[in-house]
Amino acid sequence: QLQAFGGGLVQAGGSLRLSCTASGSIFTIYTMYWYRQAPGKQREFVASITLGGITNYADSVKGRFTISRDDAKKTAYLRMSNLKPEDTAVYYCKADILARIPAKRSDYWGQGTQVTVSS
């Protein structure tokens, strides 16, 4: 199970940090992702971080967003700075997880957290 936290209302130019925590019988969490979906638009990739710490970002957020992870806490973070009104969306986390019992590797999605940036 994945739970995302940290969304809210912020003025343009402000910052927020999102968290995504995994729980349950987990052996390994491989790549962790953040996606977002704005009203009337398709869900889009925002950022990812591999088990080894390699990061990847959508062009629209490069230089403004930073993804990180704390494997001891089974948590990924998305630090968002210099936020723009076009960043307004529901943000979802996803993780590629190898569960212990049963031993199965699957993608899991969190429930989403709303980020609203006012101009």
Side-chain angles (χ1 to χ4, degrees):
Q1 182 179 5
L2 286 178
Q3 287 191 304
F5 304 94
L9 173 64
V10 64
Q11 287 188 330
S15 298
L16 280 175
R17 189 180 79 158
L18 306 182
S19 302
C20 173
T21 299
S23 62
S25 178
I26 295 171
F27 186 76
T28 303
I29 303 175
Y30 295 98
T31 304
M32 303 186 80
Y33 306 81
W34 287 97
Y35 285 77
R36 66 186 181 186
Q37 187 166 17
K41 295 188 176 181
Q42 289 188 331
R43 191 172 298 188
E44 64 176 4
F45 168 82
V46 175
S48 64
I49 183 166
T50 68
L51 181 58
I54 297 172
T55 58
N56 190 29
Y57 297 92
D59 288 344
S60 59
V61 307
K62 279 181 183 176
R64 300 187 299 120
F65 290 12
T66 302
I67 189 171
S68 60
R69 61 190 288 168
D70 183 334
D71 290 327
K73 296 181 178 180
K74 299 178 185 176
T75 298
Y77 304 96
L78 186 68
R79 175 68 177 176
M80 305 183 293
S81 302
N82 190 21
L83 282 160
K84 304 175 181 181
E86 51 263 43
D87 294 318
T88 295
V90 177
Y91 283 71
Y92 298 90
C93 59
K94 184 179 80 169
D96 177 5
I97 294 175
L98 174 60
R100 289 184 180 274
I101 302 171
K104 179 182 177 183
R105 183 172 175 175
S106 299
D107 283 339
Y108 294 83
W109 286 89
Q111 82 285 9
T113 184
Q114 177 70 47
V115 172
T116 303
V117 184
S118 63
S119 57

